[in-house]
Amino acid sequence: MFQIKHVTLIHKKDLRTILEDFSLVLNKGDRAVLIGEEGNGKSTLMKWIFDPELVEDYIEASGERVMSGEKLGYLPQELPAEDKKKTVYAYFSEREAFSEQTPRELSGLAKDFGVEREFFYREQEIETLSGGERVKAQMMRILMEKPTILLLDEPSNDIDIETLKLTERLINGWEGAVLFISHDETLIEHTADRVIHFEQIRRKTKCRHTVANMPYRQYVEERLNAFEKQEQLALGERREKKIRDEKIRKMEQSVGAKLDNISHADRDSIGRLLKKKMKNVKAMERRFEREDAEMTELPEQEEAIFFKLGDKNSEIPAGKWVLQLEEAELDTADGSRELARNVELKVRGSEKIAIIGNNGCGKSTLLTRIAEELLNRDDLRAEYMPQDYEKLLDMDETPVDYLDHSGDKEERTRIRTYLGSLKYTADEMEHPIRELSGGQKAKVLLLKLSMSGANVLILDEPTRNFSPLSGPVIRRMLKEFPGAVISVSHDRKYLSEVCDRICRLTPDGLQVIEDEALCS
């Protein structure tokens, strides 16, 4: 059993409480998912659980961890910078557990994760691996350590669909407890039997947490139904109060008018009765005020983000060719290895295209090649969102400074309004981008796309850092975008709800996918 007691996390920079008096018990076989909007403290709690020192630079933390002999295995959302510079072999061999693996065990791991057995001995630097290969390397090293509890921060990021399904089997079959964060709604629906929901309400001035012992979809439906019932009851009570208050007001006016107009002769007899009646009305009013204090509260919930991508100027005529790509060979960036040949991709009008494929097959390389061509076109307005946000973001700038290109006061006010709609607090707007969560960084880039007036979006894993609560908003926004979208994604809901065409990248080129089971 693993237990945390009365955990409170306070951000040192803006003194904002992101988690207050949170307790949790994880028992053998539990599969608990942490959900909530970006920046609500999910990853911070995960780090604190694994090692409180990981958050001490920016968080004031209090609380207790009770381990009871458990061994934790932790997958961070971002690979530490010092590990990125290591070779794959150095990354594995620095752990004693690697040398204890038998050839059969290594072969089994490699087969499960869809890599060659020689993968463990590569002299290639970790940072040059694809995003999915980096996640696989971390997961395999964790499993070698034989932990009893898995702490997984975004295990679904950047991995291919086959490995996503492997991850589902791993979580469902784990004998110990699993606590994980994921933005992949399909993964959550297929695995989690407990939901831990972190919220920031009242403009992020109050934090709230909910622990529900039920599957994710049931939690979402029951939560929505409960909010709707509470809202109906609260609104009904307020309508009754309005009618009642109006009646009392009229009674007071009537009695008051009679008192004002009473004749001198009737002051003793009728006047006493009217004053008594007024006293009764006032007593009734005070009684109702006490009852009103017990009225059903209107439900408070943290709303999902909202903004639009594109406008009428982003529309592309149905017959216009956006892309006619023909690559005889697709090589790695350094030219050392051929990834695919005879790659052809044609996009016309406002098509929404997704490229899928195994990790390391060259999807991001292909998307970079597409971006190079389309960003230089004069007849299109293309914008590119890479998998690695740091390629575009200045990590030392604030979100407002990064998005402001004019220095105009009205422009900065408009940017602040947009960031507010994306659930940024005034303090967060002034934080350096490096201090923001992955999802908050993604929001900055999406807002840049929104403000650019682009009619072609080139997106590498566009939904990877958005909460399952914001996911439907992002998918709807991209589906309704009037221009063209060319993307790489393994998000199964994104593939089924947004994309007109799905192409798999293979060594022999792109193949159109028709299999609906792909997205299940």
Side-chain angles (χ1 to χ4, degrees), residues 135-296:
V135 174
K136 289 180 180 182
Q138 293 176 83
M139 284 296 296
M140 288 189 289
R141 194 173 79 162
I142 289 169
L143 294 180
M144 290 176 188
E145 300 278 352
K146 294 182 171 53
T148 59
I149 294 178
L150 293 179
L151 306 174
L152 308 178
D153 194 346
E154 296 295 351
S156 53
N157 268 4
D158 307 325
I159 57 177
D160 54 45
I161 291 174
E162 288 73 17
T163 310
L164 273 171
K165 293 180 178 179
L166 167 65
T167 304
E168 289 177 4
R169 294 194 297 272
L170 173 66
I171 293 174
N172 285 328
W174 192 256
E175 291 186 359
V178 182
L179 177 65
F180 70 101
I181 301 168
S182 179
H183 296 143
D184 189 309
E185 290 170 69
T186 306
L187 175 71
I188 295 172
E189 290 171 358
H190 289 179
T191 57
D193 58 12
R194 298 181 75 188
V195 177
I196 303 162
H197 186 183
F198 289 174
E199 296 178 272
Q200 296 281 331
I201 56 177
R202 300 179 191 174
R203 297 182 179 273
K204 288 194 172 184
T205 61
K206 179 178 175 59
C207 59
R208 181 172 70 188
H209 60 264
T210 304
V211 179
N213 295 315
M214 62 183 70
Y216 173 71
R217 188 51 53 194
Q218 181 183 349
Y219 170 71
V220 171
E221 292 171 358
E222 290 192 6
R223 180 173 181 266
L224 180 61
N225 290 337
F227 275 134
E228 288 177 349
K229 289 179 181 178
Q230 183 179 343
E231 184 176 41
Q232 290 172 2
L233 182 59
L235 291 175
E237 290 176 354
R238 280 154 179 77
R239 283 193 296 269
E240 292 176 2
K241 178 182 183 301
K242 185 176 180 181
I243 295 170
R244 184 200 69 205
D245 289 349
E246 180 64 16
K247 287 181 179 179
I248 291 176
R249 185 184 66 81
K250 288 180 178 179
M251 290 171 63
E252 287 180 342
Q253 286 179 341
S254 175
V255 174
K258 289 178 181 179
L259 279 170
D260 291 339
N261 296 321
I262 192 171
S263 66
H264 183 74
D266 293 332
R267 283 189 182 277
D268 290 339
S269 58
I270 298 177
R272 283 197 298 270
L273 291 174
L274 289 173
K275 287 180 180 179
K276 184 177 181 180
K277 188 171 184 180
M278 178 63 81
K279 184 178 180 181
N280 290 337
V281 171
K282 291 293 186 181
M284 186 188 306
E285 189 174 20
R286 289 192 294 272
R287 188 179 77 249
F288 285 145
E289 285 178 355
R290 290 194 295 270
E291 292 177 3
D292 289 346
E294 303 299 322
M295 286 176 64
T296 303

Side-chain angles (χ1 to χ4, degrees), residues 4-8 19-25 34 45 48-49 62-64 179 196-198 209-211:
I4 55 176
K5 298 179 179 180
H6 309 297
V7 179
T8 294
L19 187 63
E20 186 173 20
D21 197 26
F22 174 71
S23 298
L24 178 70
V25 177
L34 263 172
L45 175 66
W48 181 87
I49 290 173
S62 62
E64 182 183 359
L179 177 65
I196 303 162
H197 186 183
F198 289 174
H209 60 264
T210 304
V211 179

Side-chain angles (χ1 to χ4, degrees), residues 122-137:
R122 283 189 190 178
E123 291 300 323
Q124 181 181 358
E125 288 188 354
I126 292 283
E127 67 178 352
T128 66
L129 297 174
S130 71
E133 287 176 317
R134 286 197 294 270
V135 174
K136 289 180 180 182

Side-chain angles (χ1 to χ4, degrees), residues 482-500:
V485 177
I486 304 171
S487 58
V488 167
S489 182
H490 299 120
D491 182 336
R492 287 162 283 184
K493 287 191 180 291
Y494 172 83
L495 295 175
S496 63
E497 295 178 15
V498 177
C499 302
D500 304 313

Side-chain angles (χ1 to χ4, degrees), residues 322-325 327 368-377:
V322 173
L323 180 68
Q324 297 185 75
L325 180 73
E327 291 283 327
T368 301
R369 170 70 187 83
I370 292 170
E372 289 171 352
E373 177 174 327
L374 297 185
L375 291 172
N376 291 318
R377 289 266 293 273

Side-chain angles (χ1 to χ4, degrees), residues 268-389:
D268 290 339
S269 58
I270 298 177
R272 283 197 298 270
L273 291 174
L274 289 173
K275 287 180 180 179
K276 184 177 181 180
K277 188 171 184 180
M278 178 63 81
K279 184 178 180 181
N280 290 337
V281 171
K282 291 293 186 181
M284 186 188 306
E285 189 174 20
R286 289 192 294 272
R287 188 179 77 249
F288 285 145
E289 285 178 355
R290 290 194 295 270
E291 292 177 3
D292 289 346
E294 303 299 322
M295 286 176 64
T296 303
E297 294 184 358
L298 284 166
E300 291 182 295
Q301 60 178 313
E302 184 177 38
E303 297 179 353
I305 63 172
F306 173 78
F307 70 105
K308 286 191 67 176
L309 272 177
D311 51 30
K312 289 185 178 180
N313 295 324
S314 302
E315 294 179 1
I316 298 179
K320 180 178 177 62
W321 284 109
V322 173
L323 180 68
Q324 297 185 75
L325 180 73
E326 295 184 6
E327 291 283 327
E329 292 183 356
L330 179 68
D331 297 332
T332 55
D334 60 7
S336 62
R337 182 163 60 96
E338 181 183 274
L339 298 167
R341 59 178 58 195
N342 300 322
V343 178
E344 294 186 14
L345 181 60
K346 296 183 179 182
V347 181
R348 192 198 297 262
S350 60
E351 281 190 286
K352 310 294 189 288
I353 308 297
I355 300 168
I356 67 171
N358 295 336
N359 292 130
C361 72
K363 301 182 299 299
S364 293
T365 301
L366 175 59
L367 205 66
T368 301
R369 170 70 187 83
I370 292 170
E372 289 171 352
E373 177 174 327
L374 297 185
L375 291 172
N376 291 318
R377 289 266 293 273
D378 294 329
D379 60 327
L380 297 171
R381 299 185 306 280
E383 286 287 340
Y384 173 45
M385 180 178 175
Q387 189 181 107
D388 183 356
Y389 302 149

